[in-house]
Amino acid sequence: MSSSFTCLIFLLVAVGCYHSANAQVFTLAQCPTVQVVSPFDADKYLGTWYNNRNYFAIFQAGLDCITANYAKNSDNITVTNTGFNIITRSKQVALGSARVVEPGKLIVNFPGSPSSQTANYLILDTDYESYAVVWSCSNLGPISLRFAWILTRDQVPTSTIVNKALAVFQKYAINVNKLKVTNHNNCPA
Ligand SMILES: *[C@@H]1O[C@H](CO)[C@@H](O)[C@H](O)[C@H]1NC(C)=O
């Protein structure tokens, strides 16, 4: 058996295992070079955003009506992610914190998850008032692990706004077909 074939099998198994443990989007390519919003006005970014669509993330599995709130505190930014269980409708809240490390680049940490030392929340575009395009990508050998979110200020944004946000990912050939739309109908109050 050729060694490249062995490697391919190993890779498929490794990716398969990792995928089932923690399913985001894996791509057999390195992270694209992206540009972030710079200058970035963190104060204008604060407040509540609706999770419009994203790559499947294990920590959001089984939830809908997902929102993210960013609030300034003395040290950094308090992140409150809220979602509702699709079946029981019980509210799930994840409290984390964020800090701006460079314009448009944040480190976001949640207690209980390994804390990141490098920016893991890149804002590729935002007008602060209607949409934000958020990206995270890590290279793992020949593959990359990708997270992508479109956040909107309106619970039900216009297609013009969504298309504008999608176009930002498309500019970098980031696969938008794997973005899953978050239900925001009949959300608990
Ligand atoms: C935010 O500040 C708190 C308190 O100082 C700290 O524990 C936490 O790690 C900070 N978060 C980030 C992402 O730096």
Side-chain angles (χ1 to χ4, degrees):
M1 193 161 26
S2 79
S3 67
S4 63
F5 183 71
T6 312
C7 279
L8 179 64
I9 295 294
F10 171 76
L11 183 66
L12 292 175
V13 171
V15 171
C17 294
Y18 198 79
H19 191 275
S20 59
N22 190 1
Q24 280 73 46
V25 167
F26 293 87
T27 305
L28 193 58
Q30 300 287 288
C31 295
T33 302
V34 292
Q35 283 187 330
V36 297
V37 173
S38 180
F40 173 67
D41 187 337
D43 286 341
K44 282 166 75 181
Y45 194 75
L46 300 176
T48 297
W49 291 96
Y50 290 92
N51 191 93
N52 175 261
R53 64 193 68 202
N54 62 280
Y55 283 170
F56 175 79
I58 194 73
F59 46 85
Q60 292 178 342
L63 301 178
D64 68 0
C65 301
I66 297 168
T67 56
N69 182 274
Y70 303 97
K72 207 169 191 166
N73 72 30
S74 52
D75 291 322
N76 44 39
I77 295 166
T78 301
V79 180
T80 309
N81 286 347
T82 305
F84 291 86
N85 184 290
I86 289 167
I87 297 162
T88 65
R89 302 318 268 153
S90 67
K91 190 176 181 174
Q92 310 281 314
V93 177
L95 268 186
S97 64
R99 129 176 143 251
V100 179
V101 287
E102 273 176 62
K105 297 189 181 183
L106 283 71
I107 290 181
V108 179
N109 283 330
F110 286 90
S113 303
S115 66
S116 182
Q117 305 305 316
T118 54
N120 59 354
Y121 184 114
L122 308 187
I123 303 167
L124 304 189
D125 196 13
T126 185
D127 62 358
Y128 304 99
E129 287 171 1
S130 55
Y131 71 95
V133 179
V134 179
W135 175 245
S136 189
C137 187
S138 343
N139 289 322
L140 299 169
I143 67 164
S144 55
L145 171 59
R146 300 167 172 222
F147 295 84
W149 290 269
I150 291 177
L151 307 178
T152 57
R153 290 292 194 189
D154 285 338
Q155 192 167 22
V156 183
T158 63
S159 56
T160 309
I161 288 171
V162 172
N163 288 339
K164 204 168 170 186
L166 288 170
V168 176
F169 284 137
Q170 285 161 330
K171 183 171 80 178
Y172 298 113
I174 291 170
N175 188 342
V176 296
N177 298 324
K178 289 186 176 160
L179 293 166
K180 300 262 183 311
V181 177
T182 305
N183 171 57
H184 281 288
N185 293 316
N186 302 316
C187 289

